Amino acid sequence: MTGQITTDAKEVLEFLPTISRTKQDRHVYTLPALKTLFELQKNGKSTLRSDQILKHPRFAELCQHVRYESRTFVMNDLTECLKILTFLGVHTNSEIITVLLQLIRHQINDVTLDHIVFLSFILKKLDRTPLIEALQIALPMLLQIQIGYKLDHENVQQLVELLEFVSQHKVNDRTVMNVVSALTLHGTNLSPEQALNALKALTGFHTFLPQYDKLLQNVFAVLERDLDQVPFKMIDYVLKKVLDKNLEHYPMFYYEPFLKRCAQYTIDHNVGLINALYVLKKLNKISFLHIPLLDYIATQSDKLSLVPTSGIITIVAGFSNANYRPSNWATVKEEIARNTTITNGTIPWIRYNLELLSLDIFNPQLLAHWLDPKALDSNMARNVLVDYLQLNELGQTLRLLYSRQYQGPYPAKQYVEKSVMLLLQNNDHPLLKPLEIAFGGEEYVSTQVVTEEGHVLDHVIAFDVDGNPVKMCCPSELGSSIRLEDIRQPGNKLVAVLYLPKSCYAINVNRLRGRFMLYLKTIQALGVPTVAISPVIWSNLPESERIPFLQREAREALRQST
């Protein structure tokens, strides 16, 4: 074998008997043979599969040689052997793996910071045994001891790998700060791969300290600059990690330029429809709009019939969230409509139907399937509160906007009543006092007004023919709700004022999502002009402008309705 290039695992194994005679031979050939097997298998250049290698009689002999020689191995050799045998699929409880692990445990004081990271990675791939668990406990403790004097502050790759390690293991704050501080000092001098791995690691911290902020900003800056240099799969994986964080609790992970870059990457690199939908699905999760991405998806409408069920749901949610119609919408709409009939019981079917209707895609068979009384009772049995609210919206949409087309069953009365009861529990009305000041006092503003269709309107104001606010008779019974029909008087015009939560709007644009625009249309279908106030706009208004703003918005709604 000396002096020739081996191109197949079979050659390596069949050559072994001729060199197994003496200890000296073993020493010269054992590790190189194992490493050659690894390289051939990793690069897919062998005629043997890994399971065939494990069954080959010469492989058992090779493992025996490794076992004989292993007592002379330094830590690098031990970890290398462990890596190769794990890659080939040698069982955790095999004699050779057990021997290697015991030797590592005996030489634990020789373990370097790089070994700690590497061993942690390998041990995760092995089955749990008392020996492996003991090593997994020892590694973070070793790191804490060594970090102060063995950390190479100039080795960015090591720092990134250590950041990943400390984000996944219990170590003290001082150890974490050692790594974070060292990496932060490198500023934006990271490769895009290092930046992505650092970002992935930062998402792994359950407690995100203010001291980590600068590193996070540096990482985002690198990715904004160099994202085009990394493969799509890596971006897709890290994007998922970022958007899996609850952004209410971890607002520092919401960085708009990074999300825009990820969306733009899919277009610039022409990643294809399925990959584009992977990105869109993640952006849908936080209602992040990127119109060019939707346009890119729209250009591939001829491929929609090849998209799996989850992809259709993603497309519908994407266009509905953006309340957007591309230039070829007629074609896109037709293709979506053709592939909409999804009756898989695990899908978020109420929201899906609402989003379809917000795009004016009406599928009576689909609606009849999901709203069949038996199917509905079965689906609602899980008693999820948001289901009652969305089901009520679906019923309102069908009754008020599609009554001529839709001839199927409607949600039962008990579901509508449950939704109304839930909505009436909301006691947070930040617009109440400002509206009373704007329109003449508390007698001029009715709050939590219930319609026959099951809406609960935050506030309703009545105006006479000249556009002046009118006092309204409120019910005398304490605790009883105000019905829209009770405050409707001939000659008066009612205006509803709603304070919609942030979730009704896109996260990056103050734009009402399609489903909630549809909800406003159902209220307007009752002959009640509606003003929707965004919490973002409201909170950004100076105090002095709030009352005039409410007056203008209500009168504009009134004017447009006449």
Side-chain angles (χ1 to χ4, degrees), residues 261-309:
R261 269 304 256 120
C262 290
Q264 194 60 43
Y265 179 106
T266 65
I267 303 161
D268 296 343
H269 292 255
N270 193 18
V271 298
L273 180 59
I274 297 296
N275 284 335
L277 293 181
Y278 289 152
V279 172
L280 180 61
K281 184 176 183 179
K282 294 173 185 65
L283 299 181
N284 283 347
K285 185 175 180 180
I286 60 164
S287 304
F288 185 92
L289 303 193
H290 193 272
I291 300 301
L293 177 60
L294 294 174
D295 284 333
Y296 174 75
I297 289 164
T299 62
Q300 304 187 54
S301 58
D302 58 322
K303 300 188 184 80
L304 286 191
S305 58
L306 307 173
V307 168
T309 298

Side-chain angles (χ1 to χ4, degrees), residues 327-382:
S327 57
N328 65 331
W329 177 243
T331 309
V332 176
K333 180 180 173 182
E334 191 180 323
E335 282 302 313
I336 292 174
R338 192 178 294 155
N339 295 283
T340 51
T341 308
I342 300 170
T343 54
N344 180 335
T346 60
I347 73 164
W349 68 270
I350 314 177
R351 192 187 74 207
Y352 173 61
N353 276 290
L354 280 168
E355 286 169 344
L356 280 171
L357 292 169
S358 77
L359 298 171
D360 200 23
I361 296 172
F362 175 70
N363 184 332
Q365 292 81 17
L366 182 70
L367 289 160
H369 168 84
W370 286 110
L371 290 172
D372 171 78
K374 280 188 179 175
L376 184 59
D377 288 347
S378 171
N379 282 317
M380 296 300 286
R382 59 189 194 142

